[in-house]
Every structure is written in structure tokens, then in C-alpha cells.
């Protein structure tokens, strides 16, 4: 993605409101829909320095320092100067200054989102807000009702949820102690905070937080003191959103439990949910994903979205708009996987060496929910072709969020029947194909530094020895180990790696598998026979696809699919000798 | 030039005219009922609408009573037992695909038709319908080549897989893609069991009996008993495609004769049908 401008080039103005002066920055064409970004605690508008430029190409982007933060002035006295009512006045003043005639699209993070919930649910802003994207900051009113309902009917599960969120809110209690927080922020905490962010929260350094941090944090303590206790005790009864809301929930948030939003549909008539595997500071750690979701949401609310199919799949909250590349997408497991991602609203790159099949997969993907889908004809074992593909994908479609290295071929026959050419062919596709995929697309993911996931299709044959499949099993065992090693290497970068190990799945692989050591006619016969066998077993590739999406969502490492694959997996760990005995059996062909 | 073909099955014989007429009637019913479907209507209501429409026009007996499938039931998702084919209280919603399937007997002639549509647009079903054209061509071509029915079945399967679809006719009893239909004696009282007319079942059973002796079957299936060249007669052919919760089919009569002239040896009873017209329009 090209970043057109930086925050330094923003136009600045000062807006007077209720005794304070707010520092407001603008990017992009004021003729476009206005998006106002509101920062949280302890932050200043610079928290958006990665997101804002990514939106500026399409929108009129406005950021401001909340009163008492950054280069906005603080109210005097501080106590009582940070009530939600005053914060709403500030927002309206900014909105009227930058977009007097058109409602604005609000985006809030952390306390910016807490305030924005107030903006989006009080009467006097009606008609001024076109949409609201909320991240990591609930409405205090909704939160109050959430607590009350759990206190009133304390089932064990609900008490658990209360305690869970209670433990995550320690800092809120801490901020209610007088003076101490200010001292800490102006002293040691202020100094070590950037390092804490980098270590614990995986926030990349690069000029953030800014030097105003100690005063931001000290003043911002009043956000909590002026509002939290009062609102949680007496939440408003009419806190209904009067604009469509997009809720983006980072699943690794140390401060907020995702359970908080369980009943949000009650308050928000038009709610779009998004989740992503990340920690609290997503404007710093996942700017590409946020920019893409905000763009999509704002565009759809503005009515500019071309008529299309909407995603209905189970994981649409997670994969909507993401870029997913699947190899071997022209048939069987790969095709079913491409479709499952398409149904979840992902953009799909369908790679296969069979042109017609790849084109078909891309076409059908678009029909069932993929906003975009492209066929790419490539042989995954061809290093140069893969390099070209990687360059093209990066240039034209973006950095891949989920990579599924699935293309593979079957090879059966005893070790001594397997020729060096046979070995080379199966290793070239099954192992080298995976290596190329990981190397090229994995590197792009790592360099972007905004997470991602790699899925490699191994097989139950990776841990289940068999005298009938020496070469195939070896290739798959290598894929399994490669996945485990890569998982270790990429763990620190928010990139997950999964090895999928299916058993017998009813696909085309049996009809195209090579049987070493027999003539063409016998090979045909065995292909037919094994196809019939797999057909009788009849385990559908769609179920493997489901397992793949689930594995990505849960970040699983090794996933045996089908009962026989799970059984063999257990045996390989607990009764390997029995498994070795099975390996000696003659296959029923 | 003679068009004399065994059993009086020449293109314009009175016999075929009778079949053509009832097939037209059935498709007219499908189109009329489809036009009246609206959100909230149940499968049962849609089945009753078909029944009433045909009764009013003189239909007294059935090969089978009308079916209606809505939503993912068009693809027979999670169908395990035959009873699931019967209409349910599933309600039609905007964008949902549906299939109407009926087999009225009129004047002693039987039709068995399938009509696919959707309430509003269903891009997936549109695509499935478009892709069915290749199946209609393939079936006719290979029947004219006198290929064993079981092999034709497998070729249809292969085409479906290449198109990326699942074979849904496999869900029908015996997994049939087609079955024979015949003339039926009209009786004053024509009871049905499990939705199938007893007269027609009798016909099918006697065909099965005779066929068994001569090595053919009135059911066109993937099994060994269909390992024979096409048997002269009228076959109701119903390829049924499924794709992730959406299904589409057509069903119409294929006439098979024992003529040596390929053109005469097999032909679709009538090309003036909604799906065929649609393909022509799209060109
Ligand atoms: N089917 C099973 O029982 C089973 C079990 C365990 C693992 N697997 C693995 O799952 C993966 C998918 O197999 P499937 O069962 O869906 O098979 P499939 O034959 O139905 O599909 C494989 C697809 O990969 C494509 N392909 C093959 N070699 C390629 C290459 N060099 N470059 C690009 N595309 C290529 C083929 O054209 C085909 O479209 C394979 O890695 C296979 O080893 C399959």
C-alpha cells in the first residue's frame, strides 16, 4: 500500500471550545467524506500517525488532541473539566469547524472510543455522525448495564465474566487514587512507558509515543475520575446508537474482555463486527488492516459500494477484506478452502497450475462473497515462477494476510520401485512448493510487520509411516517439521503457522496420483480403485477447509483432520509400536 | 422419407404429442406458481399451489405429487432419509433459490419436470443453471452414441466435478439421474403411497421386472444394473447440481428409439422449455 502523506504534512488549525483550545490536524481532500479520529489514553493524536495517511487518499481525515493532551490546552481546574458532556462539546466544535454541512465518520480508539460512544448515543449529535468505528473502548453506559445484569443474575458463567473483566481493569482503580498516578507518569513510568509498549504490547517504536506523554497521562487520569464511577453506577437508559457502528475487537487485548460486547446488538441496530488477533494498540500495530476496514465501512455507509454479494460465512468478522492466497486452489481441499475464505468475505488469490480450474475457483469465489478474486496460473515447484507471482501479488493485490500452501501430488509405491525422478517430482511440488511459498510470501508478511498466518497442508502420512507411501510420507513429514520450525521463528512477529494433517479425503488426488513400479494400465486400475475407496470413505474437502479456517482463528499448530488422522496422531505419541505394525500392512489396492 | 420408428415414437406421433402436451402443462404450472411465490410462503404451500393449479386443469393422477424445495434444501443439504424430500414449513426469503418438481398424469400421459428459480436474484443459482446446458448436450450426445448408461452417468459426474459442483441427483432414491416414464391407465380412483401414484409405480415395477430378465433397468443409476446401452422409451432426465447450499436442476423427457439414424435414435421431447429458451436468450 502506498502511503501518500505523513502526519507532519497535515494542515493545522486551533478550535476554541469551552475555555480550551484544541489542536486539530487535517489531511486529504476536504471535498471527500470526513473521518474524525479520536485518540485514547495515554496518547495524543499521533497514535494515528500510521492510520491517518493510509486513509487520506480517499477521505478528508481529521485528528485532534483531546483537551489536556498533546498540543491542546487543559481545562482549569482539571477536576470536572473532563466530563463526557464537555468532551461532546469539543467533538461538536471540531466537527462544525471541519465539516459544517455533512455528517462525519467517527473513529475512536481506547478512551477515544469511550467518548465517541457518548457522541454516537446522545440526542444532540443526531445527524452529525454518519458512522462510528469503535476499537478497544466500550460505552460506559453499556458497560454499566453489563455489570448490573451480571450482578442481578449472577450465574457462575456471568460471575466469571465479571471477575475476568474486573482483573483486566486494575489500572482503572489505580487511576482513581489521587496524585500518585500523576507522580508516576511524570517520573519513572513516563520514562519506561515506550519500552513497556514495545515489549509487552508489541508496539513498533518509530517516533511514538511523543514527548507530551507525561502530561497527557497525568491530565488524562481525570477522564477516568470525572466519569467512570458516576456512569457505571448510573448508566443512561437510552444509550442507543443513532448511526451504524463497526466494532473492531483485538482478541489479545490485555485491558478489555471481548465478552463486554456480547449484548451490543441491543444497543446498536446496525452493527458490523470485526476481530483480529492483536493486542490493545492496533492503530500502531495493525494500521493496514484498520485502514482497510475503515475504508470499506465508510464507503459502504456512504452508499458508494458497488452492488455485491455480502459475506455470510462463519468467520466473516475475522477474514472480511483480508487477502488470502491458496495454492492448489483448482480442486479438492484447496478449492474448498478458497470458497470458505470467500464466504467469509476475504479477497482470494487462487493459484493452480491448471488454468481453467483456477479461473473457475476465482469466478465462483466472487459469487459467494469474495469482494475480489483472481486466478493465477503457476507451478509451485517453479522457483522463478513463484518469485514472479510474489512480486505481482505484492504489487497488485497487497501483502497476503493468510497463505495456504496446499498444492500437492500423490505418489505411491515401494521404496525400491520409486525412481529418483519420482522422488524429485514429489519433493519438488510437495516440499519445495511449500518452501517457496513460505519464503516469498512469508517474508513479505514479516517485513510488513503486521501479523499474518501461514497454513501448510501436510498429511496424516507425515506421522504415520507406511511401506506403500515412502516418498509421499517423507515429503509431508518435511512439511510438518518445516511448519513447526517456522512457527517458532515467526512467533515473535504475530505470524502464526499451522500444519494441517488430513487423513483420507474424497478429492481428485487419487485419480492423478502416480503409482511407481507398475505399467500404465495397472496404474489406471489402481487410481480407479483408490478413487473408489476414498469415495466410499467420502470425507468431504469442505470439512478440511472448515478446519483450516478454525485453525487460523485459533492459531493452532498441528491439526489432524478426519478421525483416522486423529487416531494415528494419538498412536504416534502413545503407541508408536502399534503404528509401526500398521505401516507394514499391504494397502488394499 | 419415412420417420417410422418403432413403438410409434417418431417426432410427431400422436403418442409423443400427448407427452409433449402434459410436459408443457407442467412447465406452465411451474412458471405460474413461481411467479406467485413471495417471501414467507412455505414449501407446503408452494406444493399445494402446484397441486391445485394442475387439478383445476384436469390432472387426476400423478407419477408423484409436487415437491417444493427452498434455500439450502435445493441442494439437499443434510438429507439422510427419503422422507426429507417432502415439502416442509421452510419459508421462502428474498434471494433464496427454490426448485419445483412435479409429475402429473394427464389423459394417460406422464410428465416429470423440475423447475429452478429464485426469489429475487441468486447469482450462484444463475450460474448453476447456465452450467446445466453442457449437461443437457452431453447426455444427448452420449445417448446417441449408445454408450452404457452407467458410463454416461460417470461422464456427467466428471463434468460436474470439473465445474466444481457436487452431484445432487445422487441423493435421489437409487441415486438416479433419470427414470423411465410411460403411459398410465386412467382409473377413477388413483391412490398414492408416499407421494407416488400407484399406477405409475406399477408401470415402473413391471418395467423393472421385464428389464431385469433382459438385462436393463428403468432406473438410470451409477450402479451395475445400469451397465447397458440406452433402452428405447421415454426417460425423465434430471441432472441436479449443488454448490454450497444452492441447488439447481432441470427435468424433462428424453425420447430414445431404436432407429439407426443418430438424430432419430434420441432427442429431447420438446425444446420449447423455460431453461432451453433462457440459454438461447443469453447467447
Ligand atoms: N485427499 C487426501 O486424502 C489428502 C490427504 C492428506 C493430505 N492431502 C494433501 O492435500 C493437498 C491438496 O490435495 P487434494 O486432495 O485437494 O488434491 P487435488 O488433486 O484434488 O487438488 C490438488 C490441486 O493442486 C494442483 N497442483 C498440483 N500440483 C501443482 C503444482 N505443482 N503447482 C500448482 N498447482 C498444483 C492441482 O492442479 C489440483 O488442482 C495436497 O497437498 C495433498 O497432499 C490430501
Amino acid at each position: 500500500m502506498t502511503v501518500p502523506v505523513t502526519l507532519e504534512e497535515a494542515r493545522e488549525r486551533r478550535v476554541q471550545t469551552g475555555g480550551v483550545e484544541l489542536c486539530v490536524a487535517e489531511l486529504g481532500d476536504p471535498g471527500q467524506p470526513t473521518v474524525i479520529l479520536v485518540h485514547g489514553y495515554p496518547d495524543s493524536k499521533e497514535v494515528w500517525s500510521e492510520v491517518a495517511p493510509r486513509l487520506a487518499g480517499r477521505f478528508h481525515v481529521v485528528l485532534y488532541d483531546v483537551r489536556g493532551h498533546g498540543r491542546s490546552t487543559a481545562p482549569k481546574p482539571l477536576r470536572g473539566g473532563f466530563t463526557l458532556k464537555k468532551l461532546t462539546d469539543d467533538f461538536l466544535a471540531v466537527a462544525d469547524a471541519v465539516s459544517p454541512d455533512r455528517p462525519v465518520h467517527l473513529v475512536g480508539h481506547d478512551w477515544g472510543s469511550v467518548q465517541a460512544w457518548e457522541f454516537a448515543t446522545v440526542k444532540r449529535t443526531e445527524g452529525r455522525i454518519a458512522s462510528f468505528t469503535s476499537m478497544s473502548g466500550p460505552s460506559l453506559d453499556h458497560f454499566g448495564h453489563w455489570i448490573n445484569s451480571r450482578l442481578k443474575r449472577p450465574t457462575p458463567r456471568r460471575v466469571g465474566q465479571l471477575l475476568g473483566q474486573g482483573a483486566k481493569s486494575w489500572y482503572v482503580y489505580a487511576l482513581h487514587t489521587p496524585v500518585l498516578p500523576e507522580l508516576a507518569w511524570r517520573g519513572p513510568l513516563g520514562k519506561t512507558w515506550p519500552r513497556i509498549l514495545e515489549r509487552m504490547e508489541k508496539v513498533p517504536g518509530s517516533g511514538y509515543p511523543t514527548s507530551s506523554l507525561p502530561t497527557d497521562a497525568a491530565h488524562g487520569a481525570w477522564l477516568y475520575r470525572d466519569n467512570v464511577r458516576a456512569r457505571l453506577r448510573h448508566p443512561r437508559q437510552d444509550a442507543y446508537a443513532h448511526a451504524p457502528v463497526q466494532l473492531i475487537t483485538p482478541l489479545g487485548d490485555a485491558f478489555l474482555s471481548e465478552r463486554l460486547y456480547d449484548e451490543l446488538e441491543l444497543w446498536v441496530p446496525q452493527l458490523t463486527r470485526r476481530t483480529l488477533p492483536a493486542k490493545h494498540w492496533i492503530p500502531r500495530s495493525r494500521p493496514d488492516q484498520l485502514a482497510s476496514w475503515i475504508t470499506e465501512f465508510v464507503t459502504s455507509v456512504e452508499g458508494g459500494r458497488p452492488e455485491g454479494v455480502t459475506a455470510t460465512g462463519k468467520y466473516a468478522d475475522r477474514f472480511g477484506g483480508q487477502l488470502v492466497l491458496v495454492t492448489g486452489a483448482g480442486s479438492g481441499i484447496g478449492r474448498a478452502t478458497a470458497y470458505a475464505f470467500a464466504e467469509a468475505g476475504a479477497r482470494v488469490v487462487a493459484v493452480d497450475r491448471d488454468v481453467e480450474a483456477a479461473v473457475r475457483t476465482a469466478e465462483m469465489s466472487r459469487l459467494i462473497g469474495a469482494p475480489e478474486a483472481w486466478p493465477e496460473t503457476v507451478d509451485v515447484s517453479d522457483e522463478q515462477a513463484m518469485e514472479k507471482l510474489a512480486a505481482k501479488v505484492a504489487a497488485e493485490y497487497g501483502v497476503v494476510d493468510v497463505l495456504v500452501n496446499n498444492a500437492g501430488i500423490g505418489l505411491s509405491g515401494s521404496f525400491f520401485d520409486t525412481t529418483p525422478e519420482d522422488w524429485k517430482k514429489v519433493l519438488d511440488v510437495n516440499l519445495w512448493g511449500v518452501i517457496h511459498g513460505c519464503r516469498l510470501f512469508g517474508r513479505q508478511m514479516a517485513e510488513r510487520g503486521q501479523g499474518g498466518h501461514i497454513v501448510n497442508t501436510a498429511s496424516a502420512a507425515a506421522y504415520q509411516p507406511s511401506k506403500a507411501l515412502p516418498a509421499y510420507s517423507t515429503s509431508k513429514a518435511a512439511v510438518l517439521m518445516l511448519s513447526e520450525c517456522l512457527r517458532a521463528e515467526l512467533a515473535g512477529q504475530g505470524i502464526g503457522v499451522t500444519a494441517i494433517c488430513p487423513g483420507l479425503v474424497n478429492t481428485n488426488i487419487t485419480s492423478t496420483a502416480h503409482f511407481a513400479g507398475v505399467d500404465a494400465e495397472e496404474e489406471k486400475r489402481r487410481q480407479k480403485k483408490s478413487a473408489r475407496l476414498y469415495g466410499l470413505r467420502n470425507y468431504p474437502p469442505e470439512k478440511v477447509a472448515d478446519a483450516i479456517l478454525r485453525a487460523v482463528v485459533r492459531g493452532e499448530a498441528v491439526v489432524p483432520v478426519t478421525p483416522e488422522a486423529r487416531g494415528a496422531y494419538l498412536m504416534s505419541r502413545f503407541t508408536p509400536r502399534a503404528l509401526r505394525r500398521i505401516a507394514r500392512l499391504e494397502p488394499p489396492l | 422419407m419415412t420417420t417410422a420408428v418403432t413403438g410409434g415414437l417418431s417426432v410427431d406421433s400422436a403418442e409423443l404429442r400427448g407427452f409433449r402436451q402434459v410436459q408443457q402443462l407442467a412447465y406452465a404450472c411451474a412458471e405460474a406458481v413461481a411467479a406467485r411465490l413471495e417471501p414467507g410462503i412455505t414449501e407446503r404451500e408452494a406444493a399445494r399451489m402446484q397441486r391445485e393449479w394442475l387439478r383445476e386443469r384436469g390432472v387426476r393422477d400423478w407419477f408423484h405429487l409436487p415437491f417444493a424445495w427452498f434455500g439450502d434444501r435445493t441442494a439437499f443439504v443434510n438429507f439422510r432419509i427419503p422422507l426429507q424430500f417432502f415439502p416442509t414449513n421452510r419459508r421462502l426469503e428474498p434471494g433464496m433459490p427454490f426448485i419445483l418438481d412435479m409429475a402429473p398424469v394427464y389423459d394417460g400421459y406422464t410428465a416429470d419436470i423440475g423447475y429452478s428459480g429464485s426469489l429475487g436474484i441468486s447469482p450462484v443459482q444463475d450460474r448453476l443453471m447456465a452450467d446445466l446446458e453442457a449437461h443437457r448436450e452431453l447426455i444427448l450426445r452420449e445417448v446417441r452414441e449408445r454408450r452404457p448408461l452407467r458410463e454416461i452417468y460417470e461422464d456427467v459426474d466428471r463434468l460436474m466435478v470439473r465445474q466444481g459442483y457436487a452431484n445432487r441427483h445422487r441423493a435421489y432414491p437409487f441415486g438416479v439421474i433419470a427414470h423411465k416414464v410411460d403411459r398410465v391407465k386412467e382409473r377413477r380412483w388413483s391412490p398414492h403411497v408416499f407421494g407416488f401414484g400407484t399406477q405409475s409405480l406399477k408401470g415402473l415395477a413391471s418395467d423393472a421386472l421385464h428389464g431385469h430378465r433382459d438385462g436393463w433397468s428403468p432406473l438410470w443409476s451409477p450402479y451395475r444394473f445400469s451397465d447397458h446401452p440406452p433402452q428405447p422409451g421415454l426417460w425423465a432426465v434430471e441432472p441436479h447440481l449443488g454448490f454450497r447450499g444452492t441447488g439447481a436442476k432441470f427435468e424433462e423427457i428424453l425420447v430414445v428409439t431404436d432407429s439407426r439414424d443418430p438424430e432419430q435414435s434420441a432427442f429431447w421431447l420438446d425444446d420449447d422449455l423455460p431453461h432451453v429458451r433462457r440459454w438461447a436468450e443469453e447467447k
Side-chain angles (χ1 to χ4, degrees), chain A residues 16 322 335 544 557 577 584:
Chain A
Q16 313 286 336
Q322 291 208 326
R335 183 175 252 178
V544 185
R577 276 210 232 166
R584 297 187 194 175

Side-chain angles (χ1 to χ4, degrees), chain A residues 327-334 351-354 357 378-381 406-410 429-430 457-460 472 476 501-510 512 534:
Chain A
T327 69
S331 168
I333 296 170
V351 179
D352 204 289
R353 63 177 168 196
D354 178 340
V378 172
D379 179 342
V380 295
S381 64
N406 161 81
I409 53 175
V429 179
N430 292 9
T457 310
S459 164
Y472 180 78
K476 291 300 185 181
C501 304
L504 308 182
V505 183
N506 192 9
T507 69
N508 238 349
I509 199 165
T510 42
T512 53
Y534 278 53

Side-chain angles (χ1 to χ4, degrees), chain A residues 136-467:
Chain A
S136 296
S139 148
L140 291 181
D141 301 302
H142 301 166
F143 194 7
H145 288 293
W146 186 88
I147 294 174
N148 286 346
S149 74
R150 275 156 188 76
L151 289 175
K152 256 182 230 145
R153 291 206 305 117
T155 61
R157 170 200 291 248
R158 298 172 131 223
V159 170
Q161 293 176 349
L162 261 183
L163 294 177
Q165 179 55 47
K168 289 186 166 196
S169 300
W170 55 269
Y171 66 100
V172 181
Y173 322 126
L175 283 169
H176 276 85
T177 38
V179 193
L180 282 178
E182 277 91 334
L183 284 179
W185 278 116
R186 293 191 195 276
L189 189 53
K191 288 216 186 68
T192 45
W193 186 243
R195 247 180 303 143
I196 296 180
L197 277 183
E198 214 167 328
R199 271 238 201 97
M200 316 267 297
E201 286 291 327
K202 309 276 182 228
V203 169
S206 63
Y208 166 87
T210 55
S211 54
S212 62
L213 173 75
T215 33
D216 297 345
H219 288 156
W222 288 101
L223 289 167
Y224 293 86
R225 295 170 187 158
D226 276 351
N227 298 296
V228 173
R229 227 178 303 180
R231 274 303 168 93
L232 292 189
R233 248 182 238 159
H234 305 287
R236 287 193 295 132
Q237 299 294 333
D238 62 347
Y240 297 100
H242 45 65
V245 176
Q246 166 170 247
L247 178 75
I248 300 180
T249 312
L251 299 174
D253 199 317
F255 309 105
L256 292 162
S257 150
E258 44 177 311
R259 294 274 80 80
L260 275 183
Y261 303 113
D262 278 354
E263 288 128 33
L264 200 55
E265 270 84 1
L266 296 176
W267 300 104
V268 183
Q270 292 164 275
L271 180 65
T272 304
R273 288 177 184 267
R274 304 280 185 201
T275 59
L276 75 173
K279 296 188 169 222
H280 182 77
W281 263 275
I282 44 180
R284 304 303 309 170
S285 62
R286 297 289 183 271
D288 281 346
Q289 182 66 76
L290 294 193
S292 126
W293 278 339
I294 294 168
T295 303
E296 195 191 326
F297 188 61
V298 170
T299 315
S300 81
V301 170
E302 288 281 321
R305 190 169 28 192
E307 188 63 38
V309 205
T310 44
T312 52
K314 198 153 75 196
Y315 298 113
D317 61 334
R318 170 65 194 276
F319 298 117
Q322 291 208 326
L323 185 63
V324 177
L325 184 142
V326 183
T327 69
S331 168
I333 296 170
R335 183 175 252 178
T337 303
Y339 290 157
F341 277 112
E343 276 180 345
R347 297 146 63 227
V348 175
V349 185
V351 179
D352 204 289
R353 63 177 168 196
D354 178 340
V355 193
E356 197 192 326
V359 168
R360 185 91 197 170
T361 301
E363 266 176 31
M364 296 308 289
S365 294
R366 279 193 294 270
L367 289 185
I368 58 177
E372 296 173 291
W374 307 271
E376 292 292 346
T377 317
V378 172
D379 179 342
V380 295
S381 64
D382 181 338
E383 181 178 340
Q384 277 167 6
M386 284 294 277
E387 274 172 9
K388 256 193 172 149
L389 174 72
K392 177 179 180 192
V393 168
E396 293 181 18
Y397 318 138
V399 175
V400 170
D401 295 297
V402 181
L403 166 69
V404 185
N405 287 308
N406 161 81
I409 53 175
L411 170 61
S412 173
S414 83
F415 176 74
F416 291 114
D417 283 338
T418 308
T419 64
E421 285 73 52
D422 291 337
W423 273 98
K424 201 168 153 353
K425 218 161 136 194
V426 79
L427 290 178
D428 272 354
V429 179
N430 292 9
L431 178 57
W432 276 103
V434 177
I435 296 176
H436 293 319
C438 291
R439 210 166 50 80
L440 297 161
F441 294 101
R443 181 185 299 279
Q444 291 177 6
M445 264 182 212
E447 278 173 0
R448 176 179 62 166
Q450 298 183 39
H453 202 103
I454 299 177
V455 178
N456 295 328
T457 310
S459 164
Y463 46 76
Q464 177 181 350
S466 141
K467 72 175 193 183

Side-chain angles (χ1 to χ4, degrees), chain A residues 489-568:
Chain A
E489 179 165 341
L490 295 177
Q493 305 177 52
I495 300 175
V497 181
T498 300
I500 296 285
C501 304
L504 308 182
V505 183
N506 192 9
T507 69
N508 238 349
I509 199 165
T510 42
S511 310
T512 53
H514 177 47
F515 290 78
V518 299
D519 61 20
E521 197 179 325
E522 175 62 12
E523 177 166 56
K524 263 259 131 51
R525 199 190 64 79
R526 292 194 184 185
Q527 287 173 344
K528 258 200 164 153
K529 188 94 185 274
S530 53
R532 209 157 274 175
L533 249 142
Y534 278 53
L536 281 176
R537 170 74 185 82
N538 205 16
Y539 193 90
E542 286 77 16
K543 281 200 184 175
V544 185
D546 286 346
I548 289 178
L549 268 72
R550 202 180 321 122
V552 176
V553 168
R554 297 186 186 163
E556 292 167 329
V558 179
V559 183
V561 193
T562 76
E564 65 273 13
R566 279 197 296 274

Side-chain angles (χ1 to χ4, degrees), chain A residues 5-63:
Chain A
V5 276
T6 65
L7 215 49
E8 281 85 64
E9 297 165 39
R11 312 180 284 280
E12 272 192 21
R13 62 165 111 188
R14 319 221 25 117
V15 171
Q16 313 286 336
T17 151
V20 299
E21 196 178 74
L22 300 178
C23 175
V24 180
E26 286 171 74
L27 291 166
D29 174 6
Q32 295 302 315
T34 301
V35 177
I36 298 190
L37 308 170
V38 190
H39 70 80
Y41 175 88
D43 277 322
S44 59
K45 64 179 180 318
E46 280 67 31
V47 75
W48 298 113
S49 66
E50 292 295 320
V51 175
R54 286 171 166 80
L55 295 172
R58 302 276 297 271
F59 305 113
H60 174 212
V61 182
V62 177
L63 327 79

